[in-house]
């Protein structure tokens, strides 16, 4: 709880089997070869003074404060840049060293404001610490001499200030931007006394390439770079380690607090997913949790045309349960259902699906993974036997070739994107498969060897063409296949993939990629010692999403790129707990642990534990719920932490379905778009207000710990428990740890998981079992998770999407995310992140724009077979001719008004990535936008107190 400053060893740890013996100040020390003298000294508690050194960055040797003497050596070398050597004898402190350090420190202080009493660092300052450490008591230099004390502050960034008058030009911020983040936005301008830190070319931070990840703020040893929240509220006094609630990277943070107020979120050095790094969202965009829009009192109303009434929790729960019971009595047991949240904890999600199966008496439960990664679940389960990524994030540091398909890591998963860029700067080769030019294609010190700029919707044709080259040129790993895979399925697949219609020369006309490029990329991937595939929604959100996932799995098996570090098939999950929500049994056909509801043994296990008879037939998927609502047979819905009215496709159909229901219960932080169609609103709790766990994209189960009391009075799991009890199904947990005990008892892959173990280890990657008591970083190391232990090859015939361009709809619209905003934007839009992205825009190629007389900033109508919306245009050659692109972070954009009802053949995952459209210059918003604006305004008025 208290503020424990994390130990800084000065330089990074080195891994080496060779150990070196040396003596430091008379003490015997053993350190791995390559370790710095500074770190070796710190390992036995001797902290050599330093300013430019920190263990998150490579040593730099510029401050000259860390000098030491080495017996038999010349001069006074910097301990940060001097590696240990066998038999070395080091002196870290004597009069000569003390005099040098004091002299160096005196020079620093001579050009530094002596305003320590009023400085925002308030003692949390390494410069002040080091002045004390070296015993500096006076500064002899003329304070009126040349100095930088009046340098102007840069306050342009909404989250931190840059005060160059306090800068000691240690370069830590510059190096953090290069080494940790990989943006190279900062530099040291000029030389000697004129040296200064410069964002880009002497620009303000907001005008530079800075992505506000906070690495520079974190690295700064003085108050030069300082969070505005600390300047405003003062230094925090206690901290609690928890897990970020944004993307699927699952970064660990120290929530630094003052009472129950979060002062800042600091990336946790021991976080296994992030290693002390962060992005603008996790680091700074936490203000939504205490935003004035938070609804903290339960509300009910009879009709969506009525004013909301604030009621007690008891009354709200009673009303919700009686309505659900009434609907079931009138329309039948299957007329109600629920949707779990990928933002809530594992424990909360588990309880919602348990309530639906045991309390509602049906399997009508689904989750947002239906519309994002359900094809991952299906495709990897079929081929590998488990519905998840195969590696941990650190595995990328052992990859020689990295293939990124339909993902944008630097925007969607920024901390992992930085790690990947680090590996690319070390020499790994990159293949990008994307219709758009994402930042990874070309950014500082990173350039893709191949950018396969395919036409949206042609993924399967491309993966088959890559496989065709690998098969026909015999670039296969036959030994791996024969040992690890189902050989009969492999023989069938080989024969299928070698057929001439899969050749790159045929695929060229379908995908738009030159055959030579396809062949070169296939050879690069297959020829690597270690090749890894990372993919995102550009793979899954297609009518052949599941087929593409299977195609990726086939490719990895055929080349032997599974079962060790540096390889694998890695889905980059969008939301913080989308992996966990799937693990916890949120799909209508699966119990927790991906076991089918029709499996008698599994069902009996749950029936015995839950004390109730369970259904053996799968329930309704989200799209089926909407269809049934429109048909008048599905009339009650419990939605926890999910905004289906903004995020699901063919929005007009979704809105019609929601209007058709008799009771919609929404449990959330804000009156989001779905809540505008609700009859009961139950206040939710943010990640800062609850205990539990999240599971990230690498299957890492991490602790979520309460840092402040829930503003609405209850954590989300407690609300679900109250609803279950009111429905007549008893639940009486007293803490989320008890829910995890039940999950572990009933779910084989979680059998070894407990809060005690998570607290002890920091986090655990499932499967965590008796065989792997501390978890499993790399899946399928010895055998696949399928029943017979063998990987299964499956045939992947390319079937063109039904969505075709025509003279009426000549362009293809595809969608994605942007760094500063998150998903439907309900959280990030309520923070200062809006300064980077205040509206969704339509990216259009200069040729297509010129044909239509469109300029950047113009209003353009985007019309598809499903509907029409209007956005501002942004002309850019990041998109190819014939393709337009937008994000979906703002509800008024109506991006999903135009997406169609096409979906994946196996899982109903919508085809967000391929919509045929026409784009024309217009002068007003669309009819749908105008109607929806009026509806939203009306709903906000109904929220106001009467």
């Amino acid at each position: 709880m208290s503020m424990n400053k994390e130990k800084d060893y000065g330089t990074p740890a080195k891994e080496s089997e060779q150990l070196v013996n040396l003596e430091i100040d008379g003490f015997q020390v053993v350190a791995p070869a390559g370790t710095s003298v500074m770190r070796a000294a710190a390992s036995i508690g001797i902290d050599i003074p330093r300013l430019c050194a920190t263990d998150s960055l490579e040593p730099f040797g510029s401050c000259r404060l860390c000098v030491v003497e080495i017996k038999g050596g010349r001069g006074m070398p910097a301990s940060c840049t001097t590696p240990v050597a066998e038999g070395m004898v080091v002196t870290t402190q004597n009069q000569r060293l003390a005099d040098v350090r004091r002299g160096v420190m005196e020079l620093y202080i001579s050009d530094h404001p002596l305003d320590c009493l009023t400085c925002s660092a308030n003692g949390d300052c390494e410069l002040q610490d080091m002045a004390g450490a070296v015993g500096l008591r006076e500064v002899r230099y003329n304070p009126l001499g040349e100095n930088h004390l009046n340098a102007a502050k840069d306050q342009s960034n909404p989250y931190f200030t840059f005060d160059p008058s306090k800068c000691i030009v240690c370069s830590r911020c510059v190096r953090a931007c290069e080494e940790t983040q990989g943006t190279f936005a900062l530099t040291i301008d000029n030389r000697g006394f004129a040296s200064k830190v410069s964002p880009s070319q002497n620009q303000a931070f907001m005008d530079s390439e800075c992505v506000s990840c906070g690495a520079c703020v974190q690295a700064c040893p003085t108050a030069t770079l300082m969070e505005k929240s600390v300047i405003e509220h003062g230094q925090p006094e206690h901290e609690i380690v928890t897990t970020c609630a944004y993307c699927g990277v699952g970064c660990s943070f120290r929530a630094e607090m003052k009472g129950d107020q979060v002062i800042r979120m600091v990336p946790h050095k021991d976080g296994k997913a992030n290693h002390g790094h962060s992005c603008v969202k996790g680091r700074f965009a936490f203000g939504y949790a205490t935003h004035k829009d938070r609804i903290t009192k339960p509300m009910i109303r009879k009709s969506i045309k009525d004013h909301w009434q604030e009621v007690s929790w008891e009354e709200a729960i009673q009303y919700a349960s009686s309505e659900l019971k009434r609907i079931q009595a009138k329309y039948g047991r299957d007329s109600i259902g629920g949707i779990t949240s990928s933002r809530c904890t594992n424990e909360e999600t588990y309880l919602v699906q348990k309530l639906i199966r045991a309390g509602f008496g049906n399997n009508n439960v689904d989750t947002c993974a239906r519309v994002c990664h359900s094809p991952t679940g299906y495709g990897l389960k079929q081929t590998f036997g488990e519905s998840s990524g195969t590696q941990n994030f650190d595995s990328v540091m052992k990859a020689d070739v990295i293939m990124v398909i339909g993902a944008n890591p630097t925007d969607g998963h920024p901390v992992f994107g930085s790690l990947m860029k680090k590996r690319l700067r070390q020499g790994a080769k990159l293949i990008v498969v994307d219709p758009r030019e994402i930042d990874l294609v070309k950014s500082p010190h990173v350039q893709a060897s191949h950018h396969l700029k395919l036409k949206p919707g042609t993924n399967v044709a491309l993966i088959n063409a890559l496989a065709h080259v690998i098969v026909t040129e015999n670039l296969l790993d036959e030994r791996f296949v024969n040992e690890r895979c189902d050989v009969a399925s492999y023989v069938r697949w080989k024969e299928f993939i070698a057929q001439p219609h899969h050749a790159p020369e045929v695929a060229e006309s379908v995908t738009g990629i030159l055959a030579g490029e396809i062949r070169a990329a296939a050879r690069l991937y297959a020829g690597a010692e270690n090749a890894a595939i990372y993919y995102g929604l550009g793979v899954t959100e297609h009518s052949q999403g599941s087929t593409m996932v299977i195609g990726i799995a086939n490719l990895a098996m055929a080349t032997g790129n599974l079962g060790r570090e540096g390889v694998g098939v890695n889905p980059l999950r969008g939301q913080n707990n989308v992996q966990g929500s799937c693990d916890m049994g949120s799909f209508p056909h699966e119990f927790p642990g991906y076991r089918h509801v029709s499996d008698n043994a599994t069902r009996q296990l749950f029936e015995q534990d839950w004390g109730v008879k369970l259904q053996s037939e799968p329930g309704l998927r989200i799209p089926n719920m909407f269809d049934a609502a429109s048909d008048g047979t599905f009339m009650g819905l419990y939605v926890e932490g999910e905004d289906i009215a903004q995020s699901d496709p063919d929005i007009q159909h979704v809105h019609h379905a929601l209007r058709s229901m008799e009771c919609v219960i929404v449990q959330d932080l804000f009156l989001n778009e779905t809540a505008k169609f609700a009859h009961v609103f139950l206040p939710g709790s943010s990640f800062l207000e609850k205990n539990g766990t999240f599971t990230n994209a690498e299957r890492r189960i991490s602790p979520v710990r309460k840092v402040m009391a829930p503003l609405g009075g209850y954590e989300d799991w407690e609300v679900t428990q109250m609803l279950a009890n009111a429905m007549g199904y008893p639940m009486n947990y007293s803490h989320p740890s008890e829910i995890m005990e039940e999950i572990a008892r009933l779910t084989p892959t979680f059998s070894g998981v407990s809060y005690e173990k998570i607290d002890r280890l920091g986090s655990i990657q499932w499967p965590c079992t008796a065989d792997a008591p501390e978890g499993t970083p790399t899946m399928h190391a010895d055998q696949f998770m399928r029943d017979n232990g063998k990987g299964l090859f499956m045939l992947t015939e390319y079937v063109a999407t039904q969505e075709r361009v025509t003279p009426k709809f000549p362009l293809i619209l595809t969608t994605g995310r942007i760094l500063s905003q998150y998903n439907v934007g309900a959280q990030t839009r309520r923070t200062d992140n809006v300064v980077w992205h205040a509206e969704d825009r339509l990216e259009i190629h200069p040729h297509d724009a010129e044909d239509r007389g469109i300029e950047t900033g113009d209003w353009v109508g985007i019309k598809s077979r499903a509907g029409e919306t209007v956005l501002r245009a942004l002309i850019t050659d990041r998109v190819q001719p014939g393709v337009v692109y937008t994000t979906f972070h703002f509800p008024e954009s109506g991006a999903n008004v135009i997406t169609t009802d096409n979906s994946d053949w196996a899982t109903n995952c919508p085809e967000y990535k391929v919509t045929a459209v026409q784009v024309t210059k217009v002068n007003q918003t669309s009819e749908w936008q105008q109607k929806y604006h009026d509806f939203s305004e009306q709903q906000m008025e109904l929220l106001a107190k009467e």
Side-chain angles (χ1 to χ4, degrees):
M1 284 285 287
S2 62
M3 293 287 291
N4 294 320
K5 196 137 175 98
E6 289 179 296
K7 171 107 176 139
D8 189 331
Y9 290 85
T11 65
K14 298 294 178 186
E15 286 181 23
S16 175
E17 290 178 11
Q18 184 191 342
L19 296 177
V20 172
N21 297 280
L22 69 157
E23 183 185 299
I24 301 179
D25 292 346
F27 295 97
Q28 296 303 310
V29 185
V30 180
T35 302
S36 70
V37 168
M38 177 182 282
R39 189 177 182 101
S43 73
I44 59 164
I46 297 172
D47 290 326
I48 300 170
R50 61 174 185 267
L51 280 171
C52 72
T54 179
D55 61 12
S56 62
L57 301 170
E58 291 300 321
F60 192 58
S62 74
C63 75
R64 311 311 298 167
L65 207 60
C66 74
V67 290
V68 292
E69 287 184 352
I70 295 171
K71 191 174 180 181
R74 293 177 57 196
M76 289 179 276
S79 61
C80 65
T81 54
T82 304
V84 295
E86 188 65 35
M88 180 183 269
V89 178
V90 180
T91 301
T92 72
Q93 185 67 28
N94 60 27
Q95 193 57 50
R96 184 166 168 243
L97 289 167
D99 290 346
V100 168
R101 288 179 187 147
R102 258 198 304 274
V104 168
M105 203 65 211
E106 197 174 355
L107 285 168
Y108 277 118
I109 299 299
S110 71
D111 191 14
H112 195 83
L114 298 179
D115 58 354
C116 298
L117 286 176
T118 54
C119 175
S120 56
N122 191 25
D124 183 18
C125 172
E126 291 178 46
L127 188 67
Q128 189 179 30
D129 293 344
M130 290 307 125
V134 303
L136 182 68
R137 295 292 172 262
E138 61 175 332
V139 178
R140 295 164 295 171
Y141 300 104
N142 179 2
L144 301 176
E146 197 177 346
N147 60 51
H148 302 90
L149 299 180
N150 294 317
K153 276 186 192 174
D154 175 359
Q155 305 204 51
S156 60
N157 189 287
Y159 294 122
F160 60 83
T161 62
F162 173 55
D163 182 355
S165 72
K166 295 185 173 175
C167 179
I168 59 172
V169 200
C170 65
S171 293
R172 271 165 57 165
C173 59
V174 177
R175 287 145 57 210
C177 191
E178 292 175 7
E179 293 175 32
T180 309
Q181 169 57 28
T183 294
F184 295 81
L186 302 178
T187 186
I188 299 291
D189 197 43
N190 285 320
R191 300 183 68 180
F193 184 76
S195 300
K196 62 174 184 176
V197 171
S198 162
S200 295
Q201 296 298 306
N202 284 316
Q203 293 174 299
F205 263 88
M206 276 304 284
D207 299 330
S208 73
E209 286 109 30
C210 168
V211 292
S212 300
C213 69
C216 59
V217 181
Q218 182 77 356
C220 181
T222 68
T224 306
L225 285 158
M226 178 64 75
E227 298 94 337
K228 288 182 176 178
S229 58
V230 175
I231 294 170
E232 190 176 340
H233 301 295
Q235 288 288 336
E237 41 79 19
H238 74 275
E239 64 179 40
I240 297 168
V241 174
T242 191
T243 302
C244 179
Y246 279 115
C247 77
V249 174
C251 294
S252 181
F253 277 89
R254 299 191 335 262
E256 297 194 349
M257 311 289 297
K258 207 169 194 177
D260 66 352
Q261 182 183 15
V262 180
I263 300 297
R264 63 181 167 197
M265 297 291 283
V266 178
H268 186 34
K269 207 157 92 174
D270 292 336
K272 304 290 191 298
N274 60 317
H275 304 296
H277 190 33
S278 60
C279 81
V280 61
K281 295 189 284 284
R283 182 77 157 85
F284 297 117
F286 55 85
Y288 71 87
T290 49
H291 193 274
K292 62 180 174 54
D293 288 354
R294 279 287 298 272
I295 296 176
T296 56
K297 298 275 176 31
M299 306 186 299
I300 61 173
R301 59 180 177 176
K302 284 274 191 297
S303 150
I304 67 166
K305 293 178 180 167
D306 295 340
H307 269 275
W308 284 102
Q309 291 175 275
E310 278 186 8
V311 293
S312 67
W313 273 104
E314 292 71 22
E315 195 175 341
I317 294 290
Q318 192 51 48
Y319 181 75
S321 62
S322 64
E323 277 294 277
L324 292 174
K325 287 179 196 165
R326 177 187 67 76
I327 290 168
Q328 280 190 308
K330 182 175 176 184
Y331 298 99
R333 185 191 64 204
D334 297 329
S335 59
I336 63 172
I339 296 174
T340 72
S341 174
S342 290
R343 292 180 207 161
C344 288
T345 64
N346 286 313
E347 295 77 3
E348 288 161 346
T349 303
Y350 175 85
L351 277 208
V352 172
Q353 64 85 33
K354 180 177 181 179
L355 162 64
I356 292 159
R357 297 188 202 282
F360 294 3
N362 63 44
N363 289 320
N364 291 339
V365 58
D366 209 349
T367 189
C368 76
R370 170 70 52 217
V371 301
C372 63
H373 267 288
S374 53
T376 288
Y378 178 85
L380 297 186
K381 180 86 172 172
Q382 296 294 314
T383 50
F384 298 164
E386 196 56 87
S387 307
S388 61
T390 62
Q391 314 296 122
N392 63 8
F393 290 141
D394 289 350
S395 166
V396 77
M397 296 305 288
K398 303 253 176 92
D400 303 306
V401 170
I402 300 166
M403 193 186 303
V404 177
I405 312 177
N408 188 358
T410 55
D411 278 31
H413 304 84
V415 169
F416 174 68
S418 292
L419 190 67
M420 183 185 280
K421 285 199 291 186
K422 189 174 198 172
R423 180 61 187 147
L424 294 168
R425 292 197 302 275
Q426 290 175 358
K429 298 280 188 281
L430 174 67
I431 301 163
V432 172
V433 180
D434 203 293
R436 184 169 167 266
E437 191 166 303
I438 60 171
D439 284 346
L440 273 180
V441 172
K442 191 171 182 359
S443 60
H445 304 279
V446 168
Q447 179 148 7
S449 299
H450 302 281
H451 178 199
L452 307 183
K453 210 169 186 177
L454 77 175
K455 291 176 187 167
T458 62
N459 284 347
V460 174
L462 175 62
I463 205 82
N464 285 347
L466 291 168
H468 179 88
V469 176
I470 289 166
V471 167
T472 56
E473 296 189 7
N474 200 25
L475 305 173
L476 300 150
D477 188 337
E478 298 274 3
R479 197 184 73 170
F480 178 89
V481 172
N482 288 327
E483 285 176 12
R484 302 287 311 278
C485 301
D486 178 278
V487 176
S489 69
Y490 171 64
V491 171
R492 278 196 303 275
W493 174 77
K494 245 174 91 168
E495 194 180 317
F496 161 79
I497 216 76
Q499 291 169 6
H501 72 281
H502 294 311
E505 288 69 23
V506 178
E508 182 176 313
S509 61
V510 177
T511 63
I513 304 165
L514 295 173
E517 269 288 283
I518 297 174
R519 288 190 179 276
R523 289 167 189 149
L524 181 62
Y525 173 79
E529 185 76 22
N530 288 334
I533 297 175
Y534 293 86
Y535 71 86
L537 304 184
V539 160
T540 53
E541 289 178 345
H542 288 271
S543 54
Q544 278 201 293
S546 293
T547 314
M548 182 60 179
V549 173
I550 290 165
I552 290 170
N554 289 340
L555 203 65
M557 288 189 290
T559 54
N561 279 306
L562 287 160
R564 61 185 187 279
E565 288 191 301
V567 297
V569 173
N570 305 283
L572 295 174
R573 305 281 183 158
Q575 296 197 53
N576 55 302
N577 202 36
V578 70
Q579 179 70 56
S581 69
C582 300
D583 299 340
M584 292 299 103
S586 293
F587 287 133
H589 66 292
E590 284 174 338
F591 287 120
Y594 305 98
R595 290 162 294 164
H596 205 279
V597 294
S598 65
D599 181 72
N600 289 331
T602 301
R603 202 170 60 258
Q604 283 165 12
L605 177 75
F606 282 95
E607 286 177 344
Q608 200 173 342
D609 202 276
W610 293 355
V612 67
K613 194 90 178 124
L614 297 171
Q615 297 301 309
S616 60
E617 286 294 317
L620 297 175
R621 296 170 172 180
I622 290 173
N624 309 131
M625 291 180 192
F626 296 150
D627 292 342
S630 299
D631 293 343
T633 58
F634 184 84
M635 305 306 281
L637 182 65
Y638 171 41
V639 186
E640 180 192 61
E642 189 56 43
D643 198 0
I644 49 177
Q646 184 183 340
S647 61
D648 282 38
D650 199 358
I651 279 296
Q652 298 184 79
H653 178 54
V654 177
H655 290 183
H656 178 259
L658 288 167
R659 288 176 195 274
S660 303
M661 293 184 210
E662 293 182 5
C663 183
V664 175
I665 303 160
V666 168
Q667 185 173 326
D668 221 304
L669 306 180
F670 308 106
L671 196 84
N672 61 14
E673 304 315 301
T674 307
K676 291 170 183 173
F677 296 92
H679 308 88
V680 180
F681 187 94
L682 304 173
S685 51
S686 75
F687 79 112
L688 295 169
E689 301 156 57
K690 61 178 65 168
N691 290 304
T693 56
F694 293 151
T695 306
N696 75 350
E698 48 169 5
R699 297 169 281 103
R700 186 180 299 286
I701 308 160
S702 298
V704 178
R705 295 296 177 256
K706 189 192 290 191
V707 306
M708 60 193 198
L711 299 188
Y714 294 101
E715 296 178 43
D716 284 312
W717 66 270
E718 295 176 292
V719 177
T720 302
Q721 176 161 289
M722 290 191 289
L723 184 58
N725 288 325
M727 289 292 293
Y729 180 74
M731 288 186 190
N732 47 24
Y733 306 96
S734 61
H735 189 268
S737 59
E738 296 172 11
I739 305 172
M740 182 53 82
E741 283 169 21
E742 182 175 318
I743 294 164
R745 191 168 68 238
L746 295 171
T747 313
T749 47
F750 275 67
S751 61
V753 178
S754 67
Y755 274 37
E756 179 279 322
K757 190 179 284 187
I758 290 170
D759 288 341
R760 180 161 44 85
L761 300 177
S763 60
I764 303 167
Q765 285 178 272
W766 69 257
C768 178
T769 60
D771 295 335
E774 296 199 347
T776 310
T778 304
M779 295 281 279
H780 320 299
D782 302 313
Q783 59 176 17
F784 286 95
M785 302 285 285
R786 291 180 68 245
D787 290 343
N788 64 2
K790 302 286 187 185
L792 181 72
F793 284 83
M794 296 173 71
L795 307 189
T796 52
E797 192 63 76
Y798 169 61
V799 179
T801 170
Q802 293 175 348
E803 192 70 1
R804 307 285 171 84
V805 293
T806 64
K808 191 176 177 187
F809 301 112
L811 303 172
I812 289 283
L813 168 75
T814 190
T815 60
R817 296 180 177 181
I818 202 162
L819 170 66
S820 57
Q821 293 291 343
Y822 174 70
N823 210 34
V824 295
Q827 293 146 280
T828 40
R829 279 186 281 111
R830 291 178 171 89
T831 70
D832 285 331
N833 280 29
V834 291
V835 302
W836 288 283
H837 189 75
E839 63 176 354
D840 294 317
R841 291 199 162 201
L842 185 80
E843 292 188 7
I844 184 168
H845 190 273
H847 294 173
D848 295 324
E850 190 179 356
D851 287 348
R852 292 161 175 78
I854 293 167
E855 294 181 6
T856 288
D858 285 349
W859 287 106
V860 290
I862 309 125
K863 188 175 176 124
S864 74
R865 295 173 179 89
E868 183 176 8
T869 193
V870 171
L871 298 171
R872 280 188 210 276
L874 175 63
I875 298 172
T876 172
D877 55 11
R878 290 185 77 161
V879 289
Q880 54 185 292
V883 175
V884 290
Y885 168 90
T886 189
T887 49
F888 51 88
H889 302 299
F890 290 79
E892 60 272 19
S893 302
N896 285 325
V897 174
I898 42 184
T899 48
T900 66
D901 60 1
N902 290 351
S903 66
D904 174 50
W905 59 272
T907 66
N908 273 131
C909 185
E911 191 164 46
Y912 288 119
K913 302 297 183 188
V914 190
T915 307
V917 297
Q918 177 59 288
V919 175
T920 50
K921 192 169 171 178
V922 297
N923 54 20
Q924 62 179 19
T925 53
S926 72
E927 186 185 346
W928 179 87
Q929 284 168 310
Q930 288 161 22
K931 279 185 183 166
Y932 195 67
H933 176 266
D934 293 345
F935 170 72
S936 280
E937 291 281 297
Q938 177 198 1
Q939 287 301 316
M940 295 315 288
E941 285 167 17
L942 295 174
L943 180 63
K945 304 278 192 296
E946 286 186 273

